[in-house]
Amino acid sequence: MRTKRLICLVLGLMLVFSGITVVAADETEMEAVQAEAVQATSHRDEAVSLLIQFEVIGSEDAQNLDEKITKAQFAKLLTGVINLRSFAGHHVEMKDVEADNAYAPYIEAMVDMRVFTVDVNRRFYPITNISESEALMAFVKLLGYTVIANNYGSGTSGVQKLASRLGWL
């Protein structure tokens, strides 16, 4: 079961950070960039297929991979990546996440695990699109790399440096 979780996590990272923009100077470089894009698309298709197979995402979700996702949707994705099926943690009080919200169990699980935090006003902002730095921070926390990231610098700076060193960026 641990292997499945690791594969899902790696595939999730690949999907989140697959949008890289490249500027080519001449035709030869442009052809190389196009060849890399075709290969990246192939890898992305394989990753999507595996994520569907492991039930991390549904086939309907696979059609919308280029759209930005909210913090609530990302919380749901993360619970799928780590194969978290039980949400037996304590209720986390948030002013902007009602108990009947479809994403509430996923958000509460990620907040309970300290992957995400709420602000001093007890707000999570579930409908806000997740930024790259928030996604990186969540993955670092989920993997238990926070201490290592702090060795590279505090907060977002350390996470960015660690992500770059790990080849996530």
Side-chain angles (χ1 to χ4, degrees):
M1 195 58 104
R2 186 171 173 85
T3 303
K4 178 180 174 182
R5 288 182 191 159
L6 289 173
I7 291 170
C8 289
L9 184 59
V10 170
L11 294 173
L13 285 168
M14 287 172 53
L15 285 176
V16 171
F17 302 111
S18 64
I20 300 172
T21 305
V22 179
V23 178
D26 60 22
E27 261 187 64
T28 307
E29 287 182 30
M30 184 60 93
E31 289 172 6
V33 168
Q34 288 172 342
E36 287 178 23
V38 168
Q39 185 178 11
T41 301
S42 173
H43 289 305
R44 180 178 172 171
D45 291 344
E46 289 175 32
V48 169
S49 176
L50 286 171
L51 286 171
I52 292 169
Q53 180 182 346
F54 288 136
E55 299 175 4
V56 173
I57 62 173
S59 56
E60 66 281 351
D61 298 325
Q63 305 305 315
N64 304 320
L65 291 176
D66 292 326
E67 295 179 11
K68 292 184 178 192
I69 64 172
T70 65
K71 287 176 67 177
Q73 292 168 322
F74 194 70
K76 182 179 179 182
L77 175 69
L78 288 179
T79 59
V81 166
I82 64 170
N83 200 25
L84 183 63
R85 300 288 185 229
S86 173
F87 305 104
H90 68 279
H91 176 70
V92 180
E93 188 65 37
M94 290 172 269
K95 292 181 180 178
D96 57 352
V97 179
E98 300 294 326
D100 62 348
N101 182 319
Y103 293 102
Y106 310 109
I107 295 168
E108 289 181 359
M110 291 295 104
V111 170
D112 193 39
M113 293 173 64
R114 293 178 172 51
V115 172
F116 284 119
T117 58
V118 294
D119 68 12
V120 294
N121 297 316
R122 305 299 303 158
R123 294 192 182 279
F124 178 75
Y125 305 100
I127 60 173
T128 303
N129 288 337
I130 191 155
S131 68
E132 183 180 273
S133 62
E134 288 172 318
L136 283 172
M137 183 69 78
F139 276 119
V140 165
K141 288 178 178 180
L142 191 65
L143 292 170
Y145 288 176
T146 307
V147 173
I148 298 168
N150 288 338
N151 288 335
Y152 287 100
S154 63
T156 305
S157 170
V159 169
Q160 292 280 346
K161 288 176 184 172
L162 174 63
S164 179
R165 180 158 175 111
L166 293 173
W168 294 351
L169 297 177

